[in-house]
Amino acid sequence: MSSKTLMLPARLVRHCLHKPRGVVCVDPVRLYYGSPKAATGSAVRTVDLRSDTVTKPGAFMRQAMAQAEVGDDVFGEDPTVNELQKIAADMFGMEAALYVPTGTMSNLIAVMVHCRERGDEMIVGDLSHIHVYEQGGSAQLAGVHSATVTTLGDGTFDLDQLISKIRHGYPDPHYPRSRLVCVENTHNIQGGRVLPLSFLQELRSVADKFGLAVHMDGARVMNAAVALAVQPSVILQHCHSVSVCLSKGLGAPVGTMLGGSKDFIQRAVRARKVLGGGMRQSGVLAAAGKIALSDMIGRLEEDHRNARRFAQALLKCDPSLYRVDLTTVESNILRFCLRDRQMSPAEFCERMAGVDEEEVKALGQGVRVLMFPHVGDTVRAVWHLDISKEDTQLAIQKAQFVADKLKSVRAA
């Protein structure tokens, strides 16, 4: 193998942004969805911790998709979709559910249904996925204004600040009308934090007092349920609607479930159609969603254990390159910092993804560990069903190798 380092995501991003080496100017929030896929090599083992969206359906799931009974879902005649929607509604403790192509569309539909007039307003956390990563679709497509509250480290926000953001002047023509508050559980940017049930209960009380609806971006709410050891309905009883992704840790190739009341879902069907989400024989996809909800939730605990195992190992690395707060490791997402300020998170991710002869000699094989530089000069790693305990151990060995190599470079 050549000693030349393989082509890497972070290096490519830096090249595309025309940033000289060593200059830390990359916005991690924008980088999150922007890194090109690195090249692969047959002699190299890859541990992909970029996101739980990279999961691939297994043989059993693919077989179910191939054998799915289908119909025209726009006519409400696809039996597999209808069954999936019933399963999801029962699991969520809600009256009805709707199968939607993506989480972004599902969240937008919820906003459109809850905020029925252009110029209505929703209140969201300033670090929420809806606010940061969904292209401002609520304003762009629905005509809904956003007011933000400060996202706290645990993914919650201050309820007094929320109350201060609620508009009370309607129908004064100068102001939008507050209609909706959105929460995210688990919280992506804050490292997979699980929202406390007490917070959700208090939030619902505030929302009821001021006539607001509560929507949960629950893309990873099943991770939250596993972390809290409760049924999803225990969490969702405090919400009017929820969006639950099937294609992250649950392993389906596509799809999100939107849950709510019967009236909410009837209106959601119309919004889905106008957004281009009405699919025909979509039971082929819904079959994977059924397996995701029936078979894949319990195994999320394994992802949580592997994430924590990796976090604990980082703290034991000698030299001490990594800083991790174990109290924040609650699910399958880990954020950690580098103690050596001369190495940026982007450069660290580049080193973790690169392979050279020295590493092969030291570890016995080349290991490419893919991660993302993230918000606040951190690195983000996400565990999922395609990452085993063995993969996690390889990632630990690579992290120790990078720390050792940095120490030798500094000594020289």
Side-chain angles (χ1 to χ4, degrees):
M1 177 181 293
S2 170
S3 61
K4 184 178 180 181
T5 304
L6 296 175
M7 188 172 292
L8 308 167
R11 177 176 295 172
L12 288 173
V13 170
R14 184 165 57 239
H15 173 74
C16 293
L17 295 176
H18 305 291
K19 303 300 181 184
R21 186 173 183 86
V23 177
V24 184
C25 299
V26 178
D27 181 350
V29 174
R30 302 184 189 281
L31 179 64
Y32 174 59
Y33 284 116
S35 292
K37 189 173 182 179
T40 59
S42 59
V44 176
R45 178 78 169 266
T46 298
V47 180
D48 195 341
L49 301 177
R50 292 174 299 169
S51 176
D52 45 9
T53 60
V54 304
T55 55
K56 299 178 178 65
F60 183 66
M61 185 176 284
R62 289 174 184 266
Q63 182 180 13
M65 295 171 68
Q67 298 175 351
E69 185 180 358
V70 299
D72 193 321
D73 182 48
V74 174
F75 293 161
E77 297 175 356
D78 191 304
T80 306
V81 172
N82 292 339
E83 186 177 358
L84 171 62
Q85 292 173 162
K86 178 65 166 58
I87 291 170
D90 291 344
M91 182 176 289
F92 300 166
M94 294 181 168
E95 292 180 351
L98 183 67
Y99 185 52
V100 178
T102 73
T104 295
M105 181 183 288
S106 184
N107 283 331
L108 179 57
I109 290 171
V111 172
M112 293 173 68
V113 174
H114 288 304
C115 301
R116 301 180 186 178
E117 297 181 15
R118 295 182 67 83
D120 281 349
E121 184 174 71
M122 66 175 182
I123 304 173
V124 298
D126 61 349
L127 295 181
S128 66
H129 196 283
I130 290 177
H131 184 64
V132 176
Y133 292 130
E134 298 182 12
Q135 206 183 109
S138 57
Q140 185 180 169
L141 300 177
V144 175
H145 184 259
S146 295
T148 60
V149 288
T150 303
T151 303
L152 303 178
D154 63 355
T156 67
F157 42 78
D158 182 78
L159 294 180
D160 288 332
Q161 186 185 27
L162 169 66
I163 292 171
S164 73
K165 294 298 181 81
I166 299 173
R167 312 277 186 169
H168 301 289
Y170 187 83
D172 188 313
H174 296 90
Y175 309 110
R177 175 169 53 172
S178 300
R179 297 298 295 267
L180 173 67
V181 57
C182 299
V183 292
E184 184 178 335
N185 195 16
T186 63
H187 200 284
N188 179 3
I189 286 182
Q190 295 294 40
R193 299 302 297 273
V194 178
L195 301 189
L197 293 175
S198 58
F199 167 78
L200 294 173
Q201 183 177 12
E202 293 172 13
L203 171 64
R204 180 60 183 265
S205 296
V206 170
D208 288 346
K209 178 179 179 180
F210 292 101
L212 303 179
V214 177
H215 172 68
M216 177 177 287
D217 175 1
R220 297 181 177 90
V221 74
M222 297 306 174
N223 292 89
V226 168
L228 293 173
V230 300
Q231 294 298 316
S233 57
V234 174
I235 298 172
L236 300 178
Q237 66 180 315
H238 305 297
C239 306
H240 295 90
S241 62
V242 65
S243 173
V244 180
C245 188
L246 304 175
S247 61
K248 291 186 170 68
L250 300 184
V254 65
T256 289
M257 301 308 301
L258 178 63
S261 68
K262 289 182 178 179
D263 178 69
F264 173 88
I265 293 300
Q266 287 175 353
R267 295 175 183 273
V269 170
R270 289 182 54 82
R272 183 186 68 174
K273 181 65 173 175
V274 78
L275 293 175
M279 300 183 288
R280 299 294 179 174
Q281 287 71 37
S282 49
V284 173
L285 300 175
K290 287 174 57 180
I291 293 175
L293 292 182
S294 65
D295 296 355
M296 306 302 286
I297 296 174
R299 63 147 309 281
L300 294 174
E301 186 175 357
E302 179 183 346
D303 300 336
H304 297 186
R305 286 197 301 267
N306 284 333
R308 190 166 187 85
R309 182 178 292 114
F310 184 82
Q312 291 170 332
L314 290 185
L315 290 178
K316 296 177 182 178
C317 277
D318 183 20
S320 180
L321 175 61
Y322 309 105
R323 186 169 69 250
V324 184
D325 182 355
L326 288 178
T327 65
T328 68
V329 186
E330 297 177 337
S331 61
N332 66 318
I333 302 177
L334 170 65
R335 288 177 63 198
F336 60 92
C337 300
L338 305 174
R339 295 183 182 276
D340 190 325
R341 305 306 296 176
Q342 296 182 26
M343 180 192 294
S344 71
E347 290 170 329
F348 171 77
C349 290
E350 181 175 324
R351 294 190 184 209
M352 289 292 287
V355 173
D356 58 26
E357 290 180 350
E358 183 180 351
E359 176 189 337
V360 174
K361 183 177 180 180
L363 302 183
Q365 65 177 318
V367 180
R368 300 171 62 249
V369 181
L370 307 184
M371 302 177 180
F372 276 125
H374 204 53
V375 177
D377 285 333
T378 64
V379 176
R380 192 188 87 147
V382 185
W383 274 259
H384 49 82
L385 65 89
D386 291 340
I387 301 299
S388 65
K389 183 178 179 180
E390 178 189 1
D391 292 323
T392 302
Q393 187 60 39
L394 288 174
I396 291 170
Q397 293 174 7
K398 182 60 176 280
Q400 179 64 65
F401 173 78
V402 169
D404 290 340
K405 191 168 184 178
L406 181 64
K407 180 180 179 181
S408 65
V409 170
R410 294 285 185 263

